[in-house]
Amino acid sequence: MFNTAIIVKSLPMLLEASVWTVVYSLTSVAIGFCIGTLMCAAGLSQSRPMRALAAFYVSFFRGVPLLVQLLISYYCLPLIGVNVPSSVAAVGTLALCTGAYIAEILRGGFLGIPAGLIEAARMVGLNRVQILTRIEVPMAVRFTLPSLVNETTMMVKASSLISVVGVLELTRLAQNIATSTFQPLEIYLTAGAIYFLINGAITLAGDFAESRFRVEKAR
Amino acid sequence: MSFNPAILTDNWREILDGMLLTILIWVVGTALGLVIGLVVAIVQLFTNRWFAAPLTFYVALMRGTPFLIQLFVIYYGGPFFGLDLTPLVAGVAGLALYGGAYFSEIFRAGFLSVPVGQIEAARMMGISRLAIVRHVQLPQMLVIILPALANMTVLLSKETAVLSVITVNELTSVIQSIGSTTFAFAETLLFLALVYWAFLEIVTAAARRLEKRVGRFMLRTQG
Amino acid sequence: MNAKTNPNARPIIDVRGVWKRFGTVDVLKGIDLAIRKSEVTCIIGPSGSGKSTLLRCIAFLEEYSEGEIYIEGELLGFALEGGRRRRVSDAEVARVRRNIGFVFQQFNLWPHMTALENVAMPLKLARGIPREDATKRARAMLDKVGLTNRAEAYPSQLSGGQQQRVGIARALAMEPHIMLFDEPTSALDPELVGEVLQVMRDLASEGMTMAVVTHEMGFAAQVADTVVFIDHGVIAASGSPEQVFRREENPRLRQFLQNYFERNVFWQTTDEVPAP
């Protein structure tokens, strides 16, 4: 029998845990955005060492499974004398990982701006900084917004992996309840539904932001 | 802190087995995912909405929830439906279903990328719907979506690590158990990261080469 | 040019009271048109008048909203059941329109196939003709449109005019009873228009039944048996080229032709060319 009572009973706890899921994933996206911006700038800079650093960073954090990154930060940070709470280490790792993806997204956004628009700005006398802040950044944000929203939903999903290194969030709590009640199907489906709703809300917010830009485009 | 690489060489047999299993899971999961993706895309685009709507929901669900939760539902929730799957079977099935949802979106975009006029021309020649897919749409779209397919295939190879959580004995799981019995976390986990990294770089480079070759073919035909 | 029509013969295409709506916009408002064997009908009119839509309805690339279209006596796209019409299956549509050839403005060649494959592939897939025979017939068709030497070229390696001739060969290979041309020269550079029109002239003189949506008034005047002027979704004038181009008084038609001449005449009149 599908046990709906257990769902009703554990729902408040699961919802509470999902707050941590949202906090952890949004925090890591915010930090990751800063890292990504820096790495994108490094990648597009004139300096060869900077470009190499950016390339190495992006390649490593996109080339190694997030779970492995989390295991490394969990087991190896104490070995080099860094003792931080596991949640901090986990969020830091999520941020580093998403930073690599965001760097690539932003890079694509900047490179996607038609050269003619920059030339036009130069010809009407805008200076380098004005071109960056008035033309390039606004256009890159518009270009990349869907990808950035998508990356955020990816991080909400990826944050479930921090349960493996013992951080309490939605997946971890669902595991705890599932093993103590022996009703794994009901609990995991409920947890899945909560993730689905969180990501649905993020996607809706993204669509709203995008539609505002689109009005501007239609004019 | 000491660093003892002998831990790896001492356990080379288990590590090798883990690698092979990882590759097996990846190849089988991806192949099944591609089949699922293509079928889902075709049904979504070419049948009525009663068939399409459930599949659209499936795709949204797989894309909107964590892979780990999906594995838990299949592996721990399977017995509820009388499906007592081994971890390996549950893991491969999970990977295929997860990948299939993403692949279906790629295929869908591919189908829509072929200009409508070409399909109208084929219809005017009296060519059947399926033959249009086979002879007009697929050959052109495969070239266009190849980078996206390759990208997703590479992503799936990383997801195989998650199968360790449901106790599939793939590489991550093997390395973790060696690490926790010997307490040589640094050696084992850094090695693990390097292996995945090297593997992904190789696969990515291979995909780029393939794209280039196909690109040259395109240059010849469209050039 | 080839006036050989028996007005009592059953038309190959019979359009009766056809309306086409896109959302709330009526693009065609009750079109009646009959095209008989070996007749060349040129459909002219301003852009947005509905002339291409009419041709696409006759090919059932668009579903018409009201009225009837008969292809050699068979109702196209629908079955009448107790006064109501029901959309028939795609296979049935394909069967009824199997004798219609269609040439597109944008050629719509399949870019991943050579010219030869573009012509041969439908023969194999839609008609089940064995590979060798299909290839042979495809070569003959490419010969006919003057592309014997370009059979192995991909569309991207051909000029627009050559691509359009492949498009014509592809349609002809299916041995259609009528050829529909949807602005076949509108996407071409001016210097390439002539070669395509020449192929179409040849076809007309062989007695092919044709309906041509076109902006080439010279072609219409010389080749057409009937010229149809469509404006705002209705046939505003029709008749022989002589009648439509010289005698018809419809002000919209006169305005349309006036605009055309102003665009195309680059020297006032030949009388004013100074003597050498």
Side-chain angles (χ1 to χ4, degrees), chain B residues 122 125-127 135-136, chain C residues 109-110 113-142 151-153 165-174:
Chain B
M125 301 282 124
I127 299 170
H135 293 275
V136 177
Chain C
L109 298 185
W110 301 301
M113 300 178 197
T114 62
L116 188 68
E117 287 165 347
N118 260 282
V119 183
M121 191 270 278
L123 293 171
K124 285 182 277 188
L125 292 183
R127 294 287 156 90
I129 294 173
R131 221 167 74 93
E132 262 170 51
D133 297 354
T135 307
K136 199 184 288 174
R137 198 199 287 183
R139 279 200 193 281
M141 288 303 141
L142 289 175
E152 308 305 329
R165 285 188 280 154
V166 175
I168 294 173
R170 180 174 68 178
L172 281 179
M174 309 297 281

Side-chain angles (χ1 to χ4, degrees), chain C residues 114-116 138-154 157-158 162 165-166:
Chain C
T114 62
L116 188 68
R139 279 200 193 281
M141 288 303 141
L142 289 175
D143 287 349
K144 193 177 166 69
V145 297
L147 289 172
T148 314
N149 299 323
R150 304 295 282 147
E152 308 305 329
Y154 285 95
Q157 298 165 329
L158 298 172
Q162 290 172 329
R165 285 188 280 154
V166 175

Side-chain angles (χ1 to χ4, degrees), chain A residues 60-74:
Chain A
F60 181 81
F61 283 96
R62 285 168 32 125
V64 176
L66 177 59
L67 179 60
V68 176
Q69 295 173 24
L70 287 165
L71 292 173
I72 290 176
S73 73
Y74 180 71

Side-chain angles (χ1 to χ4, degrees), chain C residues 13-79:
Chain C
I13 304 283
D14 196 356
V15 178
R16 293 189 197 158
V18 159
W19 287 66
K20 172 65 188 174
R21 264 175 227 107
F22 288 105
T24 57
V25 184
D26 291 328
V27 178
L28 298 177
K29 303 177 215 170
I31 298 282
D32 292 292
L33 179 68
I35 299 171
R36 292 187 172 74
K37 190 163 163 38
S38 294
E39 251 183 13
V40 176
T41 304
C42 282
I43 303 168
I44 61 172
S47 54
S49 60
K51 54 192 192 305
S52 279
T53 303
L54 172 60
L55 209 65
R56 290 174 62 81
C57 283
I58 295 174
F60 212 65
L61 290 171
E62 308 283 356
E63 276 182 33
Y64 49 99
S65 316
E66 251 176 67
E68 287 134 47
I69 296 176
Y70 292 91
I71 311 291
E72 298 183 287
E74 285 192 275
L75 183 60
L76 172 68
F78 300 98

Side-chain angles (χ1 to χ4, degrees), chain B residues 114-129 131-132 134-140 217-223, chain C residues 56 59-62 90 94 97 100-102 104 107-113 121-122 125-127 154-157 170-171 174 180:
Chain B
V114 176
V116 180
Q118 287 185 31
I119 299 170
E120 287 182 344
R123 272 167 56 200
M124 282 313 297
M125 301 282 124
I127 299 170
S128 73
R129 191 60 254 191
I132 294 176
R134 159 88 180 70
H135 293 275
V136 177
Q137 291 179 286
L138 273 179
Q140 293 187 67
F217 170 77
M218 287 293 281
L219 227 62
R220 190 158 62 75
T221 61
Q222 330 249 286
Chain C
R56 290 174 62 81
F60 212 65
L61 290 171
E62 308 283 356
D90 287 349
R97 73 175 170 203
I100 299 180
F102 199 97
F104 296 85
F107 330 136
N108 291 342
L109 298 185
W110 301 301
H112 58 301
M113 300 178 197
M121 191 270 278
L125 292 183
R127 294 287 156 90
Y154 285 95
S156 60
Q157 298 165 329
R170 180 174 68 178
M174 309 297 281
L180 307 181

Side-chain angles (χ1 to χ4, degrees), chain A residues 70-82, chain B residues 1 184-190:
Chain A
L70 287 165
L71 292 173
I72 290 176
S73 73
Y74 180 71
Y75 287 109
C76 298
L77 282 183
L79 294 179
I80 56 170
V82 180
Chain B
M1 167 186 158
F185 292 117
E187 294 87 337
T188 51
L189 288 174
L190 290 179

